Amino acid sequence: RAERRNERDNPRRRLLAEIPESITPETLDKRTRKHLRSLTPDNADIVARHLAYAGEMLDLDPEVAYQHTKIAFQRAARIDVVREALGLAAYATGRYGEALKELRTYRRMSDDYEHVAMEADAERGLGRAEKALRFISNIPLQKLDMVAKIELAIVTSGARGDLGDAAGGLSVLEKIIVENLPAELAARVQSVKADRLEELGRLEEAQELRKEYLPILQGENTDTDYLFDLDEILDDEAFVDADLAD
């Protein structure tokens, strides 16, 4: 039993040793650390370091981030932010089934709808576009801010495209006023719009959009250091009336 226990604990020790000394429990933001108060102090510190390091590595090396969130999960599975972190890392590494399970669990534990677009997209990743649209149609839009609605519109467009409804997917995005969006989010909207245009045979329009916005998605000209008013981003009444998955 001791040998088996050592074999099980070795990955934990190895991953903990990988975390730079500069990553302390205090590196994790205060809001998230508050959720760890029900743990023993030692365990809370270890979980906090794993979560903080995973957050830093999520964009650089999603697989490393996933491994650290998995260890945090093994230590604190009943903590909502731990389930959230594991869901985000699973999504980033293409583990869509696990991502869907963890993000759904986090939403039920916290009543936070921030990641519903990822939940829907995970359904798409599992080849279930129709189920993604059904899920979207039941989301209480009043719980989402404007940016979250845009993320949901992007997924809705993709799901409709998956089902061969390029025109319907395009119509969702055409309701978004991209001129007032931060550059990267606007580029994502326009990139998906280009996909729908291409599916409709409107190749020149798709090419023009990609020519304008692809450099932003590739990390060029991404100066987004400015303020914007969420009320100006969308024609909100038209967007909500579309009901996304109608």
Side-chain angles (χ1 to χ4, degrees), residues 74-233:
Q74 292 170 3
R75 287 182 167 274
R78 295 183 179 181
I79 306 298
D80 55 357
V81 294
V82 172
R83 307 299 287 264
E84 177 189 25
L86 179 56
L88 295 175
Y91 177 84
T93 57
R95 294 174 169 91
Y96 296 120
E98 185 174 12
L100 185 61
K101 175 186 174 184
E102 297 305 325
L103 293 176
R104 181 179 293 159
T105 299
Y106 167 72
R107 174 167 52 84
R108 290 172 176 171
M109 294 172 75
S110 66
D111 196 39
D112 182 355
Y113 280 68
E114 179 182 359
H115 306 305
V116 288
M118 284 188 186
E119 288 185 59
D121 203 42
E123 293 282 14
R124 286 185 63 213
L126 294 169
R128 304 193 298 230
E130 289 184 358
K131 192 169 182 179
L133 290 175
R134 287 197 301 272
F135 169 70
I136 290 170
S137 69
N138 290 316
I139 292 172
L141 295 181
Q142 68 273 16
K143 288 182 175 286
L144 309 182
D145 63 24
M146 291 300 177
V147 173
K149 290 178 182 178
I150 293 170
E151 297 284 357
L152 206 57
I154 291 172
V155 177
T156 300
S157 179
R160 288 184 173 182
D162 293 344
L163 296 172
D165 182 16
L170 181 61
S171 70
V172 173
L173 300 181
E174 286 178 333
K175 293 178 171 65
I176 299 174
I177 304 170
V178 297
E179 287 78 10
N180 293 327
L181 287 175
E184 185 175 350
L185 184 56
R188 289 180 55 223
V189 170
Q190 298 295 66
S191 175
V192 177
K193 187 183 292 185
D195 292 341
R196 302 291 85 78
L197 289 168
E198 190 171 70
E199 290 162 4
L200 291 168
R202 296 160 61 177
L203 303 183
E204 291 185 8
E205 295 175 71
Q207 185 176 7
E208 284 299 315
L209 281 180
R210 291 195 176 111
K211 182 179 179 181
E212 181 178 359
Y213 288 96
L214 186 59
I216 297 175
L217 292 176
Q218 292 176 337
E220 305 170 20
N221 303 319
T222 56
D223 183 9
T224 59
D225 186 20
Y226 59 87
L227 297 177
F228 61 95
D229 187 345
L230 285 176
D231 291 336
E232 297 178 359
I233 290 175

Side-chain angles (χ1 to χ4, degrees), residues 17-98:
E18 284 180 1
I19 302 175
E21 292 183 2
S22 59
I23 303 294
T24 67
E26 289 70 31
T27 304
L28 192 65
D29 65 277
K30 291 182 179 179
R31 182 193 70 83
T32 304
R33 288 211 313 273
K34 287 180 180 179
H35 291 255
L36 307 180
R37 287 177 176 174
S38 62
L39 303 175
T40 64
D42 288 345
N43 195 30
D45 285 351
I46 292 173
V47 170
R49 292 188 71 207
H50 279 296
L51 293 181
Y53 189 54
E56 293 201 359
M57 295 300 294
L58 189 60
D59 291 332
L60 299 174
D61 193 332
E63 183 61 32
V64 169
Y66 172 79
Q67 296 300 330
H68 283 272
T69 58
K70 197 72 174 178
I71 296 298
F73 168 78
Q74 292 170 3
R75 287 182 167 274
R78 295 183 179 181
I79 306 298
D80 55 357
V81 294
V82 172
R83 307 299 287 264
E84 177 189 25
L86 179 56
L88 295 175
Y91 177 84
T93 57
R95 294 174 169 91
Y96 296 120
E98 185 174 12

